[in-house]
Amino acid sequence: FKPMIRNAAIVALTLLLLNCCKKTTPTDCVPASNPITGCENTLTTTEMNGVSMVAISSAIDSSAFIPVTKINATWVSIIPFGFIPSNSSTVQYNQSWQWYGEKRQGLIETIILAKEQGLKVFLKPHLWIHNIWVGDLEFTNETDWQNFETSYATYILDYAHLADSMGVEAYCVGVELKKTVHRTAFWNSLIDSVKTFYSGKLTYAANWDNYDKVTFWNKLDYIGIDSYFPLSESKTPTFDECYAGWESDFNKIKALSLNENKKVIFTEYGFRNVDYTGKEPWEDNSNSTFNSQGQVNAYQATFCRFWGESWFDGGFLWKWYPDHPNAGGETNNRFTPQNKPVESIIKETFAATN
């Protein structure tokens, strides 16, 4: 009788572990709890449970990162913006008029403070262009293209050196530059240059509608996607609607990952607490509606879809402000999840997948 009980227990434990491992690598084979109601997938250990930190406007101390750790985040994305003035092709950065955290000294201090709280750092230089979205950046003559590429390479290589000197764990060579990725020789050369000295992981942050047009994933460690895929046209999309809305894009992303033999990260992802949050999730225009349930459902469906896949390594929610007590709230309908109902969902999911 006792051997039979023992054998039954072994079989039960084996089935549990097999179920856990069906979407993970053997080294990640541990049972994981699932905090998402209605999610039948097994959530498993995810490398990058991160937030995208808004640049600081003045000096701060390490307490600004304590709320990040309290939601069980393990990474932080830090963004030193570069700029291109109107009617110019020259990238400018580390300018006197920029916010403190966007300049070199403020960036150094921010990285140090994040690491003091045990957070890993993803450094993500990002261009901001007057009057146009960065994804529409292009030039009509070769002279301007060459000038842009020279000044952009200086910007990227400078911060890559800084990242390497400070032990930054991951670095991004570009963000949403969808009308430049056809300049393959430039991107290949830039990535090769960074790899001669930077020892961390590399990616590029492709826009959600352009990731399949990038030709240089083979040179990088991760396929990076700024994930603002449309999921539902409902005013308050349900969990099931959002989950189903992922089906086509989920399969395309998975196919690319397997074809390139590279894991995927969401270099940005997020939903606002507004009506129709799943219809055009990238939309940042003024909106007078408030809808916390739609935001919660969209986040939960995204976690359920991706945070158990062996080819997916997590991402960086958009976005997180250093002054947490005064950030977000249910009367704020911008992207930040801070002090909104969805923050607890994020905290629970990160805890279950760290």
Side-chain angles (χ1 to χ4, degrees):
F1 179 70
K2 287 183 179 179
M4 291 178 63
I5 294 175
R6 179 176 180 272
N7 290 341
I10 291 172
V11 169
L13 178 59
T14 301
L15 289 173
L16 175 62
L17 291 174
L18 286 173
N19 182 63
C20 161
C21 291
K22 67 182 180 180
K23 293 182 180 179
T24 63
T25 60
T27 55
D28 292 330
C29 185
V30 290
S33 60
N34 190 334
I36 300 173
T37 302
C39 179
E40 298 180 358
N41 297 340
T42 300
L43 304 189
T44 52
T45 301
T46 301
E47 168 62 25
M48 295 182 177
N49 282 328
V51 304
S52 301
M53 180 67 78
V54 176
I56 57 176
S57 57
S58 57
I60 58 173
D61 59 37
S62 60
S63 64
F65 287 95
I66 293 175
V68 177
T69 63
K70 284 187 174 180
I71 63 162
N72 301 305
T74 53
W75 283 73
V76 61
S77 172
I78 298 174
I79 305 169
F81 276 98
F83 295 83
I84 298 180
S86 299
N87 303 314
S88 173
S89 59
T90 301
V91 177
Q92 300 178 1
Y93 67 99
N94 197 35
Q95 301 291 300
S96 60
W97 49 266
Q98 288 186 248
W99 279 16
Y100 184 71
E102 295 175 348
K103 294 182 289 188
R104 190 177 187 85
Q105 187 56 41
L107 179 62
I108 290 170
E109 292 179 16
T110 303
I111 293 171
I112 291 172
L113 294 175
K115 285 183 167 292
E116 284 179 351
Q117 291 298 324
L119 295 164
K120 294 182 179 180
V121 175
F122 175 43
L123 194 59
K124 183 167 168 269
H126 192 329
L127 287 183
W128 188 266
I129 305 167
H130 186 60
N131 288 334
I132 68 167
W133 172 50
V134 67
D136 290 328
L137 177 70
E138 61 180 343
F139 303 99
T140 57
N141 62 76
E142 188 61 20
T143 299
D144 283 343
W145 273 114
Q146 292 288 339
N147 184 64
F148 163 72
E149 290 172 356
T150 299
S151 60
Y152 184 79
T154 299
Y155 167 56
I156 293 299
L157 291 170
D158 189 7
Y159 281 131
H161 276 290
L162 176 63
D164 191 64
S165 71
M166 298 191 69
V168 167
E169 289 84 358
Y171 188 70
C172 191
V173 297
V175 180
E176 298 177 358
L177 290 160
K178 59 186 290 186
K179 291 189 176 180
T180 76
V181 294
H182 68 283
R183 307 273 295 186
T184 306
F186 164 70
W187 285 105
N188 286 340
S189 175
L190 177 62
I191 294 166
D192 286 343
S193 295
V194 173
K195 290 169 77 171
T196 62
F197 61 86
Y198 178 67
S199 56
K201 301 294 187 181
L202 289 175
T203 192
Y204 166 82
N207 201 54
W208 67 272
D209 62 350
N210 184 244
Y211 69 93
D212 56 341
K213 303 298 191 298
V214 176
T215 60
F216 43 85
W217 293 128
N218 63 306
K219 287 183 168 289
L220 300 168
D221 297 294
Y222 288 109
I223 295 170
I225 304 175
D226 280 3
S227 174
Y228 298 102
F229 294 87
L231 302 181
S232 168
E233 295 195 353
S234 295
K235 181 178 181 180
T236 303
T238 65
F239 169 86
D240 287 341
E241 287 173 337
C242 291
Y243 187 86
W246 267 116
E247 183 71 20
S248 176
D249 290 309
F250 172 88
N251 289 329
K252 291 176 184 177
I253 296 168
K254 179 179 180 179
L256 178 65
S257 173
L258 298 179
N259 184 60
E260 294 284 351
N261 195 28
K262 303 285 183 182
K263 288 191 175 185
V264 174
I265 60 172
F266 285 165
T267 39
E268 290 178 18
Y269 69 96
F271 303 90
R272 293 173 63 186
N273 52 322
V274 294
D275 291 344
Y276 304 99
T277 189
K279 185 176 182 179
E280 295 179 339
W282 61 87
E283 185 58 67
D284 195 34
N285 291 337
S286 178
N287 187 316
S288 60
T289 68
F290 299 87
N291 192 327
S292 292
Q293 191 59 55
Q295 183 182 42
V296 165
N297 294 341
Y299 262 96
Q300 286 187 318
T302 300
F303 288 142
C304 184
R305 268 289 187 187
F306 288 92
W307 263 247
E309 298 294 328
S310 62
W311 49 267
F312 182 78
D313 242 3
F316 298 85
L317 64 84
W318 187 263
K319 55 191 174 177
W320 192 271
Y321 289 87
D323 184 15
H324 180 70
N326 296 310
E330 292 189 71
T331 59
N332 170 294
N333 67 4
R334 310 306 292 175
F335 274 100
T336 181
Q338 290 168 272
N339 300 307
K340 300 176 183 179
V342 75
E343 184 178 329
S344 64
I345 301 300
I346 293 164
K347 179 179 181 179
E348 292 170 3
T349 302
F350 285 0
T353 56
N354 280 341

